[in-house]
């Protein structure tokens, strides 16, 4: 039996249709009295509903979360939390809003309650990211891990189908890289394979009916598992490339993950046969077909497969390749600048993945 170390992240998970109604008791359970509700501008109305649900326990709403958590936005949110005397943050939305909550917690230690409305997964990780001067930097700190996560599939019913697909593929990326993590273990491997299976299996049903509550529940369940993997073991090439592309070129987070994932899997495939076998089993394909199958999953459901389609300038590919090899990090295959530049070109063109 292989030796391994597994450390579970301590978070309270409340899962099920209608879970949002339990928010006031969860705030009370934390001993908090003034919760600042966070959201993106697009979800300000949902944030106001959450504030109304909290009643006198609401300190106010900060609806200014944006992608990649710019440092100036994080500072503004921290100042607003201090001004209002908030003793808790409630983040409703996707990874951008959760990320803003984490930025507040990193500085103040304020407890976070996360209410995901996408399949981002960051709500169950101690990973944070801040973007300054066009460069996104990430780190791990136990202070930023949300204390409570309310998973209510009813809140995902209105998630547009396009974002549903890219968000689910973003979740699959967490689990896929977790399967070849240098610090992986049997527990996260089980979570990863089941998370990939659940997310992928939900997509056809959601394509047929985006308001299929059972399928929404399956996708959210899968995203929770995939996010837990992300928060427990180290990520490799795929996540490094996506953070580089997203932070440096302001590309949409889930879409970048969707485009890059098949190519990153192909890059690492020869060195990770067991991971490819597990991913293949979750997707119902042969291990050798995994990179192409992931790209086909995106294509079949109308998701982007080319960086050029989501705003990446071709002139930035050399810079992206340079940034990707600047800081060494664990990856099954050594990082080769020429090979990464070729990978990025294929991803830019939407070409089939190659090992």
């Amino acid at each position: 039996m292989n030796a391994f170390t597994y450390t579970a992240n301590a978070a309270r998970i409340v899962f099920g249709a209608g879970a949002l109604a339990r928010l006031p008791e969860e705030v009370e359970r934390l001993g908090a009295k003034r919760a600042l509700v966070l959201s993106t501008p697009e979800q300000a109305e949902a944030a106001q509903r959450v504030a109304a649900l909290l009643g006198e326990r609401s300190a106010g709403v900060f609806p200014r979360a944006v992608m990649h958590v710019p440092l100036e936005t994080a500072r503004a949110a921290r100042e607003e939390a201090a001004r209002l005397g908030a003793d808790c943050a409630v983040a409703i939305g996707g990874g951008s809003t959760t990320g803003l909550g984490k930025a507040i917690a990193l500085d103040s230690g304020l407890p976070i309650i996360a209410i995901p409305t996408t399949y981002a997964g960051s709500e169950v990780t101690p990973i944070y990211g801040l973007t300054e001067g066009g460069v996104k930097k990430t780190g791990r700190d136990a202070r930023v891990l949300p204390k409570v996560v309310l998973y209510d599939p009813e809140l995902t019913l209105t998630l547009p189908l396009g974002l549903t697909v890219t968000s689910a593929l973003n979740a699959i990326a967490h689990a896929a890289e977790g399967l070849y993590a240098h610090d992986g273990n049997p527990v996260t491997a089980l979570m990863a394979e089941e998370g990939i299976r659940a997310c992928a299996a939900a997509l056809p049903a959601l394509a047929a009916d985006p308001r299929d509550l059972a399928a929404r529940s399956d996708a959210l369940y899968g995203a929770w598992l995939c996010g837990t993997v992300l928060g427990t073991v180290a990520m490799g090439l795929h996540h490094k490339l996506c953070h580089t592309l997203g932070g440096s070129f302001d590309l949409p987070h889930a879409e970048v993950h969707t485009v890059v994932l098949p190519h990153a899997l192909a890059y690492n495939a020869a060195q990770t046969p067991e991971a490819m076998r597990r991913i293949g089993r979750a997707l119902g394909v042969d291990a050798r077909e995994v990179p192409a199958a992931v790209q086909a999953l995106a294509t079949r459901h109308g998701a982007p497969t080319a960086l050029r389609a989501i705003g990446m300038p071709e002139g930035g590919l050399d810079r992206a390749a340079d940034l990707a090899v600047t800081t060494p990090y664990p990856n099954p295959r050594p990082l080769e600048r020429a090979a990464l530049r070729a990978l990025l070109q294929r991803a830019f063109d939407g070409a089939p993945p190659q090992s």
Side-chain angles (χ1 to χ4, degrees), residues 234-308:
M235 297 288 105
L237 171 66
H238 171 77
H239 282 73
K240 175 66 173 180
L241 285 177
C242 290
H243 288 153
T244 296
L245 293 167
S248 300
F249 302 96
D250 198 31
L251 303 183
H253 182 85
E255 287 85 345
V256 170
H257 278 268
T258 298
V259 172
V260 172
L261 181 58
H263 302 281
L265 291 176
Y267 186 93
N268 285 326
Q271 286 76 24
T272 58
E274 177 60 17
M276 295 303 114
R277 186 182 69 80
R278 282 183 173 270
I279 299 169
R281 188 164 62 193
L283 297 177
V285 301
D286 185 88
R288 294 168 295 181
E289 300 170 359
V290 163
V294 171
Q295 190 175 64
L297 187 63
T299 302
R300 194 158 56 245
H301 293 96
T305 57
L307 290 175
R308 69 163 76 240

Side-chain angles (χ1 to χ4, degrees), residues 140 173-186 188-189 192 229-230 232-237 239 268 271-272 274-276 279 330-332:
R140 286 178 180 256
H174 306 328
E177 285 228 296
L179 283 168
Y180 53 64
H182 74 96
D183 55 353
N185 59 76
T188 54
V229 173
L230 170 68
T232 308
V233 300
M235 297 288 105
L237 171 66
H239 282 73
N268 285 326
Q271 286 76 24
T272 58
E274 177 60 17
M276 295 303 114
I279 299 169
N331 189 68

Side-chain angles (χ1 to χ4, degrees), residues 14 30 33 72 82 92 106 109-110 126 132 143 173 196 206 226 255 278 293 296 301 322 324 326 330 340 352-353:
V14 181
L30 287 178
K33 300 185 182 301
E72 54 271 25
I92 180 165
L106 183 66
L110 228 61
E132 182 178 13
R143 290 176 297 175
I196 293 170
L206 291 174
C226 294
E255 287 85 345
R278 282 183 173 270
H301 293 96
D322 291 339
T326 298
L340 291 179

Side-chain angles (χ1 to χ4, degrees), residues 64 121 129 139 164 265 282 295 314:
R64 290 164 52 189
T164 293
L265 291 176
Q295 190 175 64
E314 188 167 14

Side-chain angles (χ1 to χ4, degrees), residues 4-51:
F4 67 91
T5 300
Y6 171 66
T7 302
N9 290 319
R12 178 174 167 84
I13 307 299
V14 181
F15 194 106
L20 178 62
R22 295 176 60 177
L23 177 61
E25 68 183 82
E26 293 299 329
V27 171
E28 184 177 3
R29 187 174 176 277
L30 287 178
K33 300 185 182 301
R34 293 184 59 77
L36 176 62
V37 182
L38 310 172
S39 76
T40 61
E42 295 78 11
Q43 291 191 296
E45 185 177 337
Q48 292 292 350
R49 290 198 301 270
V50 168

